[in-house]
Amino acid sequence: MSETSELSLEEVNTWKVDALKLFCRKRNLKTSGAKAELVARVFAASEMGIQVQASAKELMCITESERAKLLFTPEGSKLPDPLGLKDGWIDEKDGLTSWPPIFLSDITKYLMADHPGKDIKLHERVMNEYKEGKAYRLFDSGFLKEVFYHELENMDFCFLKAKCTHSMKVGDTPHTSWICSRKNGEIISAYCTCTAGMSGSCIHVMALLFRIEAANRNGMTNPACTSKECVWNVPIGNKTVIKPSRICDMEWKASKLNKETTRPAIDSRRKLFNSHEELKPLTPKRKEEVVL
């Protein structure tokens, strides 16, 4: 049985039914019907050049191979799989100030990397998608859940991931989207567990990018000091108790690097005046000395 596209109708007519069904099955075509229908289906597939479809196992291997390519930096360094990382993720409340500065220009540059120069209207499309598109609605409507941040040790890269509820089947298991970017905001790669997630630009990934962009644009990743909690009033440890003391009992220090001097507040050789001390009258001898 020939598998080439150069099959004549006479040759196909000589095949047995099992051979016709096998030909159709390999190309995900219907295998039902009489022999005449199968012959017509096989001959049409041959004329259209329909190729043999990969099996489920082969497709899985291809998918894993393509996904593994997303875990390499432009310099060739291997990154861990975000879906396999269990520890080190920081929730949105604590990790918000560590998010990379991703803006619309970075999103456009990331999308243009796959087809540079072929779509001069892409920036306008991104703006429109941000304002009115489905990806923005997923973020704006709360379908995109909490964003988690993971910093890679000794590397200039970080991961951000979030779950996103299905737009049509809200009861199904949410998709998980992640992006990898440099700490300066350059987007390196992205992935989602949805059907179109291998492209790195599905609506769930875009919703995650729009969430990060909105946080940066609104100053949430770098809040002003007046927007922060008054941490200077927070006591550290137990309350310090300052006890009153007489000046003459204090020691005054001048602290310098590798040198420290200490001296009393009043020279100990000087007699202190005590107003409460009882005054004694002068003796006759002392009176004579005072008069002289």
Side-chain angles (χ1 to χ4, degrees), residues 28-256:
N28 290 335
L29 301 175
K30 290 176 61 176
T31 58
S32 60
K35 181 178 180 180
E37 295 179 17
L38 293 174
V39 169
R41 194 172 297 139
V42 169
F43 180 71
S46 176
E47 289 295 313
M48 290 186 293
I50 299 177
Q51 300 297 319
V52 176
Q53 301 296 313
S55 63
K57 185 176 181 180
E58 292 172 338
L59 289 175
M60 182 65 69
C61 293
I62 294 173
T63 302
E64 289 299 322
S65 176
E66 291 296 323
R67 193 166 71 90
K69 295 179 182 178
L70 301 175
L71 300 176
F72 282 91
T73 66
E75 295 79 14
S77 301
K78 182 72 167 63
L79 299 173
D81 187 355
L83 299 180
L85 289 174
K86 302 300 181 183
D87 301 323
W89 292 99
I90 305 175
D91 59 24
E92 190 166 313
K93 179 181 178 181
D94 297 329
L96 187 62
T97 55
S98 301
W99 289 8
I102 294 177
F103 294 93
L104 277 178
S105 57
D106 301 295
I107 298 175
T108 304
K109 182 179 178 181
Y110 166 68
L111 295 176
M112 288 290 289
D114 291 334
H115 42 83
K118 295 183 180 180
D119 193 348
I120 59 176
K121 297 291 185 180
L122 181 59
H123 182 70
E124 296 179 7
R125 288 171 51 203
V126 171
M127 291 295 293
N128 182 66
E129 186 74 5
Y130 181 78
K131 299 290 184 181
E132 304 171 1
K134 189 174 182 179
Y136 180 76
R137 289 198 298 271
L138 287 176
F139 150 60
D140 191 48
S141 301
F143 279 62
L144 186 75
K145 305 306 179 183
E146 183 178 8
V147 179
F148 290 86
Y149 172 82
H150 192 293
E151 184 174 350
L152 298 177
E153 187 176 358
N154 299 325
M155 299 186 74
D156 189 37
F157 300 92
C158 62
F159 287 124
L160 292 105
K161 74 172 183 178
K163 292 185 179 297
C164 190
T165 305
H166 291 251
S167 57
M168 300 298 293
K169 300 179 180 179
V170 294
D172 288 0
T173 303
H175 296 303
T176 301
S177 304
W178 61 260
I179 68 162
C180 174
S181 78
R182 297 186 190 272
K183 294 179 181 179
N184 63 2
E186 180 186 357
I187 305 169
I188 303 300
S189 59
Y191 176 78
C192 181
T193 56
C194 71
T195 305
M198 190 62 69
S199 65
S201 57
C202 66
I203 59 174
H204 311 104
V205 169
M206 293 301 297
L208 174 58
L209 290 174
F210 288 152
R211 170 70 181 92
I212 301 170
E213 188 275 339
N216 282 285
R217 177 170 45 82
N218 293 322
M220 298 171 63
T221 57
N222 187 23
C225 60
T226 53
S227 300
K228 298 179 181 179
E229 186 179 356
C230 297
V231 295
W232 52 84
N233 289 332
V234 178
I236 301 176
N238 297 327
K239 185 177 180 180
T240 302
V241 178
I242 301 177
K243 296 181 179 180
S245 178
R246 297 173 61 185
I247 294 179
C248 61
D249 296 331
M250 296 181 182
E251 288 187 350
W252 299 78
K253 295 182 179 181
S255 299
K256 294 183 179 180

